[in-house]
Amino acid sequence: RKRSCTFTMAFRFPTKQHIKVLPHILGTLERRVFVLCAIVAVVSGVWILVLVDREYSTSVPSFGGNISEGVLGAPHLINPLLAVTDADRDLVDLIYSGLMRSDGNGNIVPELATVYEISEDGRTYTFTLRKDALWHDGKPVTADDVVFTIETAKIPELRSPLRANWEGVTATAVDAHTVRFEIQGKSYAPLIVNTTLGILPKHIWEGMSAAQFTLREQNTEPIGSGPFKFDSFEVTGAGAVTSYTLVAWDAYVPRRPYIRSLTIEFFNDPEELLAAYTSGSIDSVLMSPYNAPTNTDTESRVSELLIPKLFFIFYNQSKSPVLADVAVRKALEAATDRDALVREAINGYGSAEADPVLLGRAIQRGTASPADILTAGGWIKMESGTWQKKTKTGTLDLKFSLSTSDNEELVRTAELIAAQWKTHGIEATVEQFDVQGLQTARIRPREYEALLFGQVIGYQPDPYAFWHSSQRTEGGYNVSMYTSTTADKLLESIRDHITPEKRTELLTQFANEFQKDKPALVLYQPHDVYLTRKNIQGLDMVRVNLPSERFARIEDWYIETRKVWNVLIGK
């Protein structure tokens, strides 16, 4: 009788007891081989995971990190309607938000607003606000806040530098999240740029007189709705502010910033500021091109900010008969080496320009020399090398004064220009004043012959205030006292057209008229230099209207990162 046997084999994972007795049943060599194999297995597994992670994951921004930024000067009024210094405006841009904002590349994009509409006649603008926007004290942002801010800006006694932007504009709250602006008279294309104004919380500021408004503690401990909120500030024993600390506002719209906190430290002079950056005590600093270093360490990122600012020499033809001669003005331009000014006055951080607005056109350089131009204009070169011209009222010597502020960059520029002109027999005496003295003793009463000064013209420019004949009297910005019927009509039309194509066409026509009349000499556009540590990432700004707009889209800046598998982010 045959028997059948069936063998059943079952696999089981080793138990804890099996592992305990394993060293006792293995020989020395076997134990060594086992340990080696285990180490190889573990290292291989980890390495495979690292390779897979590298290949199939991406570093993304993470929340956290702190930035310490150095700023020249100190804040006085951290208020969107009263800010006048760069330190004021820096803190305003971080703490407050507007209906619109700069995107850091020359465009205006929504911030508190979600959408806006412009009527066909260009006289009515309607903005819809975000419903989730909150003030730093937790209260909702509403259309009433917007109306309150605009109406407060127009109060004459407050003397807001932004008052002129809103004259002739009526703001109305349609509902809690809709605000309408109606322009009296003609349309006003620059209005959209003005809506970047930081909005004030009505529940904090209402009921204040103009005198009380400037004394409120919220001018130093502000409450806004921007990406960062006020935390604390430090002062010296003498009461001078040394730093402000801001923390990320979690409820900021469009999105909470990645950076956890910002410390803004204030310095008295550019050398002290640069030394603090070089030593590593601060992480970022904005420098004027005159003070910016030409060489930086490998841990620094150098960003050139193209601010729409131009420097001019303005001619006061009513004060100087010499400068009233168009041949002289043409000769001065021919005798000016703008490229050399950029190299020597602002360390190469800038571009030579000839148009009174930034059109991107190449400079048209004439072939006639200054001597040829002056000779054709009736001027005679004397044996001394200077120039004279006989007129009905007497003899004119080709000499005049050139006034400017005691700012190092402007003094250097003025001295370089005077030296360039001197080689052609043109004598200009440089006169420098402190900023207040220049305004009160020279600019306001128009007591200058030639003036070296700058204009912030904007990437969506409105040159009306700088060149229209109605602005030539004391208090106006037309410091060349330029008068031209043709130019006036073009400047009025520029304000009246919203479409970019038509505005560019009109701006070009105005620039051509300017080139013909030469009421001023355009010199260059300086580029501010922003130095940051390379571990600060996410910066994306090139074209900003004001230095404070370097903080545009600061919610995208980050220091910390984390790894995320590509499948989770759709890659």
Side-chain angles (χ1 to χ4, degrees), residues 100-110 116 192-193 196 459-460 500 540 542-545 549 552-553:
M100 306 289 284
R101 66 169 176 173
S102 165
D103 71 347
N105 289 290
N107 303 306
I108 304 297
V109 297
Y116 67 93
I192 199 67
V193 178
T196 59
Y459 280 115
Q460 298 183 38
D540 179 24
V542 177
R543 292 158 55 94
V544 296
N545 285 293
E549 289 183 5
R553 306 186 70 93

mmCIF file with all atom_site columns, all heavy atoms in Angstrom, residues 100-110 116 192-193 196 459-460 500 540 542-545 549 552-553:
data_model
loop_
_atom_site.group_PDB
_atom_site.id
_atom_site.type_symbol
_atom_site.label_atom_id
_atom_site.label_alt_id
_atom_site.label_comp_id
_atom_site.label_asym_id
_atom_site.label_entity_id
_atom_site.label_seq_id
_atom_site.pdbx_PDB_ins_code
_atom_site.Cartn_x
_atom_site.Cartn_y
_atom_site.Cartn_z
_atom_site.occupancy
_atom_site.B_iso_or_equiv
_atom_site.pdbx_formal_charge
_atom_site.auth_seq_id
_atom_site.auth_comp_id
_atom_site.auth_asym_id
_atom_site.auth_atom_id
_atom_site.pdbx_PDB_model_num
ATOM 1   N N   . MET A 1 100 ? -5.128  99.895  -6.414  1.00 0.00 ? 100 MET A N   1
ATOM 2   C CA  . MET A 1 100 ? -4.212  99.330  -7.394  1.00 0.00 ? 100 MET A CA  1
ATOM 3   C C   . MET A 1 100 ? -2.796  99.452  -6.844  1.00 0.00 ? 100 MET A C   1
ATOM 4   O O   . MET A 1 100 ? -2.562  100.157 -5.860  1.00 0.00 ? 100 MET A O   1
ATOM 5   C CB  . MET A 1 100 ? -4.337  100.069 -8.730  1.00 0.00 ? 100 MET A CB  1
ATOM 6   C CG  . MET A 1 100 ? -5.744  100.150 -9.296  1.00 0.00 ? 100 MET A CG  1
ATOM 7   S SD  . MET A 1 100 ? -6.386  98.580  -9.901  1.00 0.00 ? 100 MET A SD  1
ATOM 8   C CE  . MET A 1 100 ? -5.491  98.434  -11.457 1.00 0.00 ? 100 MET A CE  1
ATOM 9   N N   . ARG A 1 101 ? -1.848  98.791  -7.493  1.00 0.00 ? 101 ARG A N   1
ATOM 10  C CA  . ARG A 1 101 ? -0.455  98.883  -7.079  1.00 0.00 ? 101 ARG A CA  1
ATOM 11  C C   . ARG A 1 101 ? 0.443   98.624  -8.279  1.00 0.00 ? 101 ARG A C   1
ATOM 12  O O   . ARG A 1 101 ? -0.003  98.112  -9.318  1.00 0.00 ? 101 ARG A O   1
ATOM 13  C CB  . ARG A 1 101 ? -0.137  97.876  -5.985  1.00 0.00 ? 101 ARG A CB  1
ATOM 14  C CG  . ARG A 1 101 ? -0.230  96.415  -6.442  1.00 0.00 ? 101 ARG A CG  1
ATOM 15  C CD  . ARG A 1 101 ? 0.340   95.472  -5.419  1.00 0.00 ? 101 ARG A CD  1
ATOM 16  N NE  . ARG A 1 101 ? 0.174   94.084  -5.813  1.00 0.00 ? 101 ARG A NE  1
ATOM 17  C CZ  . ARG A 1 101 ? 0.701   93.052  -5.151  1.00 0.00 ? 101 ARG A CZ  1
ATOM 18  N NH1 . ARG A 1 101 ? 1.397   93.264  -4.062  1.00 0.00 ? 101 ARG A NH1 1
ATOM 19  N NH2 . ARG A 1 101 ? 0.525   91.820  -5.571  1.00 0.00 ? 101 ARG A NH2 1
ATOM 20  N N   . SER A 1 102 ? 1.712   98.956  -8.122  1.00 0.00 ? 102 SER A N   1
ATOM 21  C CA  . SER A 1 102 ? 2.701   98.636  -9.149  1.00 0.00 ? 102 SER A CA  1
ATOM 22  C C   . SER A 1 102 ? 3.010   97.146  -9.096  1.00 0.00 ? 102 SER A C   1
ATOM 23  O O   . SER A 1 102 ? 2.995   96.535  -8.025  1.00 0.00 ? 102 SER A O   1
ATOM 24  C CB  . SER A 1 102 ? 3.979   99.443  -8.895  1.00 0.00 ? 102 SER A CB  1
ATOM 25  O OG  . SER A 1 102 ? 5.062   98.930  -9.642  1.00 0.00 ? 102 SER A OG  1
ATOM 26  N N   . ASP A 1 103 ? 3.299   96.564  -10.263 1.00 0.00 ? 103 ASP A N   1
ATOM 27  C CA  . ASP A 1 103 ? 3.725   95.164  -10.270 1.00 0.00 ? 103 ASP A CA  1
ATOM 28  C C   . ASP A 1 103 ? 5.239   95.043  -10.322 1.00 0.00 ? 103 ASP A C   1
ATOM 29  O O   . ASP A 1 103 ? 5.779   93.942  -10.434 1.00 0.00 ? 103 ASP A O   1
ATOM 30  C CB  . ASP A 1 103 ? 3.095   94.402  -11.437 1.00 0.00 ? 103 ASP A CB  1
ATOM 31  C CG  . ASP A 1 103 ? 3.669   94.818  -12.794 1.00 0.00 ? 103 ASP A CG  1
ATOM 32  O OD1 . ASP A 1 103 ? 4.370   95.855  -12.867 1.00 0.00 ? 103 ASP A OD1 1
ATOM 33  O OD2 . ASP A 1 103 ? 3.411   94.115  -13.798 1.00 0.00 ? 103 ASP A OD2 1
ATOM 34  N N   . GLY A 1 104 ? 5.955   96.177  -10.221 1.00 0.00 ? 104 GLY A N   1
ATOM 35  C CA  . GLY A 1 104 ? 7.408   96.154  -10.242 1.00 0.00 ? 104 GLY A CA  1
ATOM 36  C C   . GLY A 1 104 ? 7.997   96.141  -11.637 1.00 0.00 ? 104 GLY A C   1
ATOM 37  O O   . GLY A 1 104 ? 9.213   96.137  -11.797 1.00 0.00 ? 104 GLY A O   1
ATOM 38  N N   . ASN A 1 105 ? 7.141   96.152  -12.653 1.00 0.00 ? 105 ASN A N   1
ATOM 39  C CA  . ASN A 1 105 ? 7.621   96.126  -14.035 1.00 0.00 ? 105 ASN A CA  1
ATOM 40  C C   . ASN A 1 105 ? 6.929   97.169  -14.900 1.00 0.00 ? 105 ASN A C   1
ATOM 41  O O   . ASN A 1 105 ? 6.728   96.975  -16.097 1.00 0.00 ? 105 ASN A O   1
ATOM 42  C CB  . ASN A 1 105 ? 7.442   94.724  -14.632 1.00 0.00 ? 105 ASN A CB  1
ATOM 43  C CG  . ASN A 1 105 ? 8.414   93.722  -14.042 1.00 0.00 ? 105 ASN A CG  1
ATOM 44  O OD1 . ASN A 1 105 ? 9.606   93.778  -14.303 1.00 0.00 ? 105 ASN A OD1 1
ATOM 45  N ND2 . ASN A 1 105 ? 7.911   92.819  -13.211 1.00 0.00 ? 105 ASN A ND2 1
ATOM 46  N N   . GLY A 1 106 ? 6.534   98.277  -14.255 1.00 0.00 ? 106 GLY A N   1
ATOM 47  C CA  . GLY A 1 106 ? 5.970   99.395  -14.999 1.00 0.00 ? 106 GLY A CA  1
ATOM 48  C C   . GLY A 1 106 ? 4.480   99.330  -15.229 1.00 0.00 ? 106 GLY A C   1
ATOM 49  O O   . GLY A 1 106 ? 3.919   100.203 -15.895 1.00 0.00 ? 106 GLY A O   1
ATOM 50  N N   . ASN A 1 107 ? 3.806   98.303  -14.688 1.00 0.00 ? 107 ASN A N   1
ATOM 51  C CA  . ASN A 1 107 ? 2.364   98.158  -14.881 1.00 0.00 ? 107 ASN A CA  1
ATOM 52  C C   . ASN A 1 107 ? 1.622   98.418  -13.571 1.00 0.00 ? 107 ASN A C   1
ATOM 53  O O   . ASN A 1 107 ? 2.174   98.255  -12.484 1.00 0.00 ? 107 ASN A O   1
ATOM 54  C CB  . ASN A 1 107 ? 2.035   96.744  -15.379 1.00 0.00 ? 107 ASN A CB  1
ATOM 55  C CG  . ASN A 1 107 ? 2.775   96.406  -16.662 1.00 0.00 ? 107 ASN A CG  1
ATOM 56  O OD1 . ASN A 1 107 ? 2.703   97.132  -17.639 1.00 0.00 ? 107 ASN A OD1 1
ATOM 57  N ND2 . ASN A 1 107 ? 3.506   95.292  -16.653 1.00 0.00 ? 107 ASN A ND2 1
ATOM 58  N N   . ILE A 1 108 ? 0.345   98.783  -13.697 1.00 0.00 ? 108 ILE A N   1
ATOM 59  C CA  . ILE A 1 108 ? -0.519  98.984  -12.545 1.00 0.00 ? 108 ILE A CA  1
ATOM 60  C C   . ILE A 1 108 ? -1.522  97.838  -12.500 1.00 0.00 ? 108 ILE A C   1
ATOM 61  O O   . ILE A 1 108 ? -2.225  97.583  -13.484 1.00 0.00 ? 108 ILE A O   1
ATOM 62  C CB  . ILE A 1 108 ? -1.255  100.334 -12.628 1.00 0.00 ? 108 ILE A CB  1
ATOM 63  C CG1 . ILE A 1 108 ? -0.250  101.481 -12.775 1.00 0.00 ? 108 ILE A CG1 1
ATOM 64  C CG2 . ILE A 1 108 ? -2.123  100.546 -11.400 1.00 0.00 ? 108 ILE A CG2 1
ATOM 65  C CD1 . ILE A 1 108 ? 0.699   101.641 -11.606 1.00 0.00 ? 108 ILE A CD1 1
ATOM 66  N N   . VAL A 1 109 ? -1.580  97.119  -11.373 1.00 0.00 ? 109 VAL A N   1
ATOM 67  C CA  . VAL A 1 109 ? -2.435  95.931  -11.250 1.00 0.00 ? 109 VAL A CA  1
ATOM 68  C C   . VAL A 1 109 ? -3.292  96.051  -9.991  1.00 0.00 ? 109 VAL A C   1
ATOM 69  O O   . VAL A 1 109 ? -2.984  96.811  -9.076  1.00 0.00 ? 109 VAL A O   1
ATOM 70  C CB  . VAL A 1 109 ? -1.580  94.641  -11.190 1.00 0.00 ? 109 VAL A CB  1
ATOM 71  C CG1 . VAL A 1 109 ? -0.796  94.458  -12.489 1.00 0.00 ? 109 VAL A CG1 1
ATOM 72  C CG2 . VAL A 1 109 ? -0.621  94.678  -9.992  1.00 0.00 ? 109 VAL A CG2 1
ATOM 73  N N   . PRO A 1 110 ? -4.389  95.291  -9.902  1.00 0.00 ? 110 PRO A N   1
ATOM 74  C CA  . PRO A 1 110 ? -5.276  95.384  -8.736  1.00 0.00 ? 110 PRO A CA  1
ATOM 75  C C   . PRO A 1 110 ? -4.602  94.934  -7.437  1.00 0.00 ? 110 PRO A C   1
ATOM 76  O O   . PRO A 1 110 ? -3.750  94.042  -7.444  1.00 0.00 ? 110 PRO A O   1
ATOM 77  C CB  . PRO A 1 110 ? -6.428  94.445  -9.094  1.00 0.00 ? 110 PRO A CB  1
ATOM 78  C CG  . PRO A 1 110 ? -6.423  94.389  -10.587 1.00 0.00 ? 110 PRO A CG  1
ATOM 79  C CD  . PRO A 1 110 ? -4.973  94.457  -10.964 1.00 0.00 ? 110 PRO A CD  1
ATOM 80  N N   . TYR A 1 116 ? -11.977 96.638  -12.295 1.00 0.00 ? 116 TYR A N   1
ATOM 81  C CA  . TYR A 1 116 ? -12.457 98.015  -12.437 1.00 0.00 ? 116 TYR A CA  1
ATOM 82  C C   . TYR A 1 116 ? -12.930 98.225  -13.869 1.00 0.00 ? 116 TYR A C   1
ATOM 83  O O   . TYR A 1 116 ? -12.524 97.517  -14.794 1.00 0.00 ? 116 TYR A O   1
ATOM 84  C CB  . TYR A 1 116 ? -11.363 99.026  -12.070 1.00 0.00 ? 116 TYR A CB  1
ATOM 85  C CG  . TYR A 1 116 ? -10.174 99.057  -13.008 1.00 0.00 ? 116 TYR A CG  1
ATOM 86  C CD1 . TYR A 1 116 ? -10.133 99.949  -14.088 1.00 0.00 ? 116 TYR A CD1 1
ATOM 87  C CD2 . TYR A 1 116 ? -9.085  98.211  -12.817 1.00 0.00 ? 116 TYR A CD2 1
ATOM 88  C CE1 . TYR A 1 116 ? -9.043  99.985  -14.943 1.00 0.00 ? 116 TYR A CE1 1
ATOM 89  C CE2 . TYR A 1 116 ? -7.997  98.238  -13.668 1.00 0.00 ? 116 TYR A CE2 1
ATOM 90  C CZ  . TYR A 1 116 ? -7.974  99.130  -14.725 1.00 0.00 ? 116 TYR A CZ  1
ATOM 91  O OH  . TYR A 1 116 ? -6.902  99.150  -15.574 1.00 0.00 ? 116 TYR A OH  1
ATOM 92  N N   . ILE A 1 192 ? -5.792  106.309 -13.077 1.00 0.00 ? 192 ILE A N   1
ATOM 93  C CA  . ILE A 1 192 ? -5.553  104.913 -12.699 1.00 0.00 ? 192 ILE A CA  1
ATOM 94  C C   . ILE A 1 192 ? -4.242  104.781 -11.916 1.00 0.00 ? 192 ILE A C   1
ATOM 95  O O   . ILE A 1 192 ? -4.136  103.954 -11.008 1.00 0.00 ? 192 ILE A O   1
ATOM 96  C CB  . ILE A 1 192 ? -5.551  103.994 -13.946 1.00 0.00 ? 192 ILE A CB  1
ATOM 97  C CG1 . ILE A 1 192 ? -5.765  102.539 -13.543 1.00 0.00 ? 192 ILE A CG1 1
ATOM 98  C CG2 . ILE A 1 192 ? -4.295  104.152 -14.768 1.00 0.00 ? 192 ILE A CG2 1
ATOM 99  C CD1 . ILE A 1 192 ? -7.129  102.268 -12.970 1.00 0.00 ? 192 ILE A CD1 1
ATOM 100 N N   . VAL A 1 193 ? -3.255  105.615 -12.243 1.00 0.00 ? 193 VAL A N   1
ATOM 101 C CA  . VAL A 1 193 ? -1.998  105.594 -11.496 1.00 0.00 ? 193 VAL A CA  1
ATOM 102 C C   . VAL A 1 193 ? -2.213  106.139 -10.089 1.00 0.00 ? 193 VAL A C   1
ATOM 103 O O   . VAL A 1 193 ? -1.644  105.628 -9.113  1.00 0.00 ? 193 VAL A O   1
ATOM 104 C CB  . VAL A 1 193 ? -0.913  106.410 -12.226 1.00 0.00 ? 193 VAL A CB  1
ATOM 105 C CG1 . VAL A 1 193 ? 0.378   106.442 -11.427 1.00 0.00 ? 193 VAL A CG1 1
ATOM 106 C CG2 . VAL A 1 193 ? -0.663  105.837 -13.616 1.00 0.00 ? 193 VAL A CG2 1
ATOM 107 N N   . THR A 1 196 ? -3.132  104.037 -6.792  1.00 0.00 ? 196 THR A N   1
ATOM 108 C CA  . THR A 1 196 ? -2.168  103.285 -5.977  1.00 0.00 ? 196 THR A CA  1
ATOM 109 C C   . THR A 1 196 ? -2.030  103.909 -4.586  1.00 0.00 ? 196 THR A C   1
ATOM 110 O O   . THR A 1 196 ? -1.319  103.371 -3.729  1.00 0.00 ? 196 THR A O   1
ATOM 111 C CB  . THR A 1 196 ? -0.783  103.233 -6.648  1.00 0.00 ? 196 THR A CB  1
ATOM 112 O OG1 . THR A 1 196 ? -0.302  104.572 -6.838  1.00 0.00 ? 196 THR A OG1 1
ATOM 113 C CG2 . THR A 1 196 ? -0.863  102.534 -8.002  1.00 0.00 ? 196 THR A CG2 1
ATOM 114 N N   . TYR A 1 459 ? 5.900   106.030 -15.526 1.00 0.00 ? 459 TYR A N   1
ATOM 115 C CA  . TYR A 1 459 ? 5.894   105.189 -16.728 1.00 0.00 ? 459 TYR A CA  1
ATOM 116 C C   . TYR A 1 459 ? 4.610   105.366 -17.521 1.00 0.00 ? 459 TYR A C   1
ATOM 117 O O   . TYR A 1 459 ? 4.515   104.935 -18.666 1.00 0.00 ? 459 TYR A O   1
ATOM 118 C CB  . TYR A 1 459 ? 6.099   103.718 -16.350 1.00 0.00 ? 459 TYR A CB  1
ATOM 119 C CG  . TYR A 1 459 ? 7.550   103.409 -16.090 1.00 0.00 ? 459 TYR A CG  1
ATOM 120 C CD1 . TYR A 1 459 ? 7.983   103.032 -14.834 1.00 0.00 ? 459 TYR A CD1 1
ATOM 121 C CD2 . TYR A 1 459 ? 8.496   103.535 -17.099 1.00 0.00 ? 459 TYR A CD2 1
ATOM 122 C CE1 . TYR A 1 459 ? 9.321   102.767 -14.589 1.00 0.00 ? 459 TYR A CE1 1
ATOM 123 C CE2 . TYR A 1 459 ? 9.830   103.278 -16.875 1.00 0.00 ? 459 TYR A CE2 1
ATOM 124 C CZ  . TYR A 1 459 ? 10.246  102.891 -15.618 1.00 0.00 ? 459 TYR A CZ  1
ATOM 125 O OH  . TYR A 1 459 ? 11.577  102.640 -15.377 1.00 0.00 ? 459 TYR A OH  1
ATOM 126 N N   . GLN A 1 460 ? 3.600   105.951 -16.916 1.00 0.00 ? 460 GLN A N   1
ATOM 127 C CA  . GLN A 1 460 ? 2.404   106.374 -17.650 1.00 0.00 ? 460 GLN A CA  1
ATOM 128 C C   . GLN A 1 460 ? 2.340   107.887 -17.468 1.00 0.00 ? 460 GLN A C   1
ATOM 129 O O   . GLN A 1 460 ? 1.534   108.410 -16.691 1.00 0.00 ? 460 GLN A O   1
ATOM 130 C CB  . GLN A 1 460 ? 1.166   105.663 -17.094 1.00 0.00 ? 460 GLN A CB  1
ATOM 131 C CG  . GLN A 1 460 ? 1.265   104.146 -17.252 1.00 0.00 ? 460 GLN A CG  1
ATOM 132 C CD  . GLN A 1 460 ? 0.023   103.427 -16.771 1.00 0.00 ? 460 GLN A CD  1
ATOM 133 O OE1 . GLN A 1 460 ? -1.098  103.889 -16.964 1.00 0.00 ? 460 GLN A OE1 1
ATOM 134 N NE2 . GLN A 1 460 ? 0.203   102.277 -16.151 1.00 0.00 ? 460 GLN A NE2 1
ATOM 135 N N   . PRO A 1 500 ? -3.264  103.502 -24.709 1.00 0.00 ? 500 PRO A N   1
ATOM 136 C CA  . PRO A 1 500 ? -1.802  103.645 -24.713 1.00 0.00 ? 500 PRO A CA  1
ATOM 137 C C   . PRO A 1 500 ? -1.244  104.072 -26.063 1.00 0.00 ? 500 PRO A C   1
ATOM 138 O O   . PRO A 1 500 ? -0.305  104.868 -26.127 1.00 0.00 ? 500 PRO A O   1
ATOM 139 C CB  . PRO A 1 500 ? -1.311  102.241 -24.328 1.00 0.00 ? 500 PRO A CB  1
ATOM 140 C CG  . PRO A 1 500 ? -2.453  101.620 -23.610 1.00 0.00 ? 500 PRO A CG  1
ATOM 141 C CD  . PRO A 1 500 ? -3.685  102.169 -24.247 1.00 0.00 ? 500 PRO A CD  1
ATOM 142 N N   . ASP A 1 540 ? 11.344  90.366  -8.146  1.00 0.00 ? 540 ASP A N   1
ATOM 143 C CA  . ASP A 1 540 ? 11.086  90.538  -9.577  1.00 0.00 ? 540 ASP A CA  1
ATOM 144 C C   . ASP A 1 540 ? 10.603  91.960  -9.828  1.00 0.00 ? 540 ASP A C   1
ATOM 145 O O   . ASP A 1 540 ? 9.422   92.217  -9.992  1.00 0.00 ? 540 ASP A O   1
ATOM 146 C CB  . ASP A 1 540 ? 10.041  89.526  -10.059 1.00 0.00 ? 540 ASP A CB  1
ATOM 147 C CG  . ASP A 1 540 ? 9.732   89.680  -11.541 1.00 0.00 ? 540 ASP A CG  1
ATOM 148 O OD1 . ASP A 1 540 ? 10.602  90.205  -12.274 1.00 0.00 ? 540 ASP A OD1 1
ATOM 149 O OD2 . ASP A 1 540 ? 8.626   89.301  -11.972 1.00 0.00 ? 540 ASP A OD2 1
ATOM 150 N N   . VAL A 1 542 ? 11.901  95.696  -11.855 1.00 0.00 ? 542 VAL A N   1
ATOM 151 C CA  . VAL A 1 542 ? 12.854  96.410  -12.704 1.00 0.00 ? 542 VAL A CA  1
ATOM 152 C C   . VAL A 1 542 ? 12.403  97.848  -12.905 1.00 0.00 ? 542 VAL A C   1
ATOM 153 O O   . VAL A 1 542 ? 13.155  98.796  -12.688 1.00 0.00 ? 542 VAL A O   1
ATOM 154 C CB  . VAL A 1 542 ? 13.025  95.714  -14.073 1.00 0.00 ? 542 VAL A CB  1
ATOM 155 C CG1 . VAL A 1 542 ? 13.972  96.517  -14.950 1.00 0.00 ? 542 VAL A CG1 1
ATOM 156 C CG2 . VAL A 1 542 ? 13.547  94.300  -13.894 1.00 0.00 ? 542 VAL A CG2 1
ATOM 157 N N   . ARG A 1 543 ? 11.140  98.018  -13.294 1.00 0.00 ? 543 ARG A N   1
ATOM 158 C CA  . ARG A 1 543 ? 10.602  99.350  -13.607 1.00 0.00 ? 543 ARG A CA  1
ATOM 159 C C   . ARG A 1 543 ? 9.613   99.743  -12.509 1.00 0.00 ? 543 ARG A C   1
ATOM 160 O O   . ARG A 1 543 ? 8.526   99.171  -12.406 1.00 0.00 ? 543 ARG A O   1
ATOM 161 C CB  . ARG A 1 543 ? 9.902   99.325  -14.962 1.00 0.00 ? 543 ARG A CB  1
ATOM 162 C CG  . ARG A 1 543 ? 10.845  99.130  -16.136 1.00 0.00 ? 543 ARG A CG  1
ATOM 163 C CD  . ARG A 1 543 ? 10.115  98.591  -17.359 1.00 0.00 ? 543 ARG A CD  1
ATOM 164 N NE  . ARG A 1 543 ? 8.983   99.400  -17.747 1.00 0.00 ? 543 ARG A NE  1
ATOM 165 C CZ  . ARG A 1 543 ? 9.024   100.374 -18.650 1.00 0.00 ? 543 ARG A CZ  1
ATOM 166 N NH1 . ARG A 1 543 ? 10.173  100.658 -19.260 1.00 0.00 ? 543 ARG A NH1 1
ATOM 167 N NH2 . ARG A 1 543 ? 7.950   101.056 -18.975 1.00 0.00 ? 543 ARG A NH2 1
ATOM 168 N N   . VAL A 1 544 ? 10.006  100.681 -11.674 1.00 0.00 ? 544 VAL A N   1
ATOM 169 C CA  . VAL A 1 544 ? 9.144   101.141 -10.588 1.00 0.00 ? 544 VAL A CA  1
ATOM 170 C C   . VAL A 1 544 ? 9.028   102.656 -10.662 1.00 0.00 ? 544 VAL A C   1
ATOM 171 O O   . VAL A 1 544 ? 9.962   103.341 -11.078 1.00 0.00 ? 544 VAL A O   1
ATOM 172 C CB  . VAL A 1 544 ? 9.676   100.710 -9.209  1.00 0.00 ? 544 VAL A CB  1
ATOM 173 C CG1 . VAL A 1 544 ? 9.670   99.194  -9.072  1.00 0.00 ? 544 VAL A CG1 1
ATOM 174 C CG2 . VAL A 1 544 ? 11.090  101.232 -8.965  1.00 0.00 ? 544 VAL A CG2 1
ATOM 175 N N   . ASN A 1 545 ? 7.880   103.194 -10.267 1.00 0.00 ? 545 ASN A N   1
ATOM 176 C CA  . ASN A 1 545 ? 7.663   104.636 -10.353 1.00 0.00 ? 545 ASN A CA  1
ATOM 177 C C   . ASN A 1 545 ? 8.354   105.404 -9.238  1.00 0.00 ? 545 ASN A C   1
ATOM 178 O O   . ASN A 1 545 ? 8.738   106.550 -9.416  1.00 0.00 ? 545 ASN A O   1
ATOM 179 C CB  . ASN A 1 545 ? 6.159   104.939 -10.343 1.00 0.00 ? 545 ASN A CB  1
ATOM 180 C CG  . ASN A 1 545 ? 5.503   104.625 -11.670 1.00 0.00 ? 545 ASN A CG  1
ATOM 181 O OD1 . ASN A 1 545 ? 5.772   105.272 -12.680 1.00 0.00 ? 545 ASN A OD1 1
ATOM 182 N ND2 . ASN A 1 545 ? 4.667   103.603 -11.689 1.00 0.00 ? 545 ASN A ND2 1
ATOM 183 N N   . GLU A 1 549 ? 8.530   101.444 -4.359  1.00 0.00 ? 549 GLU A N   1
ATOM 184 C CA  . GLU A 1 549 ? 7.852   100.368 -5.089  1.00 0.00 ? 549 GLU A CA  1
ATOM 185 C C   . GLU A 1 549 ? 8.747   99.156  -5.314  1.00 0.00 ? 549 GLU A C   1
ATOM 186 O O   . GLU A 1 549 ? 8.323   98.183  -5.927  1.00 0.00 ? 549 GLU A O   1
ATOM 187 C CB  . GLU A 1 549 ? 7.313   100.895 -6.421  1.00 0.00 ? 549 GLU A CB  1
ATOM 188 C CG  . GLU A 1 549 ? 6.130   101.830 -6.261  1.00 0.00 ? 549 GLU A CG  1
ATOM 189 C CD  . GLU A 1 549 ? 5.555   102.300 -7.584  1.00 0.00 ? 549 GLU A CD  1
ATOM 190 O OE1 . GLU A 1 549 ? 6.019   101.834 -8.650  1.00 0.00 ? 549 GLU A OE1 1
ATOM 191 O OE2 . GLU A 1 549 ? 4.648   103.145 -7.565  1.00 0.00 ? 549 GLU A OE2 1
ATOM 192 N N   . ALA A 1 552 ? 7.036   96.177  -4.207  1.00 0.00 ? 552 ALA A N   1
ATOM 193 C CA  . ALA A 1 552 ? 5.899   95.629  -4.950  1.00 0.00 ? 552 ALA A CA  1
ATOM 194 C C   . ALA A 1 552 ? 6.023   94.111  -4.995  1.00 0.00 ? 552 ALA A C   1
ATOM 195 O O   . ALA A 1 552 ? 7.098   93.570  -5.237  1.00 0.00 ? 552 ALA A O   1
ATOM 196 C CB  . ALA A 1 552 ? 5.875   96.203  -6.373  1.00 0.00 ? 552 ALA A CB  1
ATOM 197 N N   . ARG A 1 553 ? 4.942   93.443  -4.704  1.00 0.00 ? 553 ARG A N   1
ATOM 198 C CA  . ARG A 1 553 ? 4.878   91.979  -4.700  1.00 0.00 ? 553 ARG A CA  1
ATOM 199 C C   . ARG A 1 553 ? 5.846   91.375  -3.674  1.00 0.00 ? 553 ARG A C   1
ATOM 200 O O   . ARG A 1 553 ? 6.399   90.290  -3.877  1.00 0.00 ? 553 ARG A O   1
ATOM 201 C CB  . ARG A 1 553 ? 5.144   91.415  -6.092  1.00 0.00 ? 553 ARG A CB  1
ATOM 202 C CG  . ARG A 1 553 ? 4.255   91.988  -7.179  1.00 0.00 ? 553 ARG A CG  1
ATOM 203 C CD  . ARG A 1 553 ? 4.463   91.301  -8.502  1.00 0.00 ? 553 ARG A CD  1
ATOM 204 N NE  . ARG A 1 553 ? 3.958   89.946  -8.466  1.00 0.00 ? 553 ARG A NE  1
ATOM 205 C CZ  . ARG A 1 553 ? 2.736   89.585  -8.836  1.00 0.00 ? 553 ARG A CZ  1
ATOM 206 N NH1 . ARG A 1 553 ? 1.887   90.496  -9.245  1.00 0.00 ? 553 ARG A NH1 1
ATOM 207 N NH2 . ARG A 1 553 ? 2.354   88.336  -8.774  1.00 0.00 ? 553 ARG A NH2 1
#
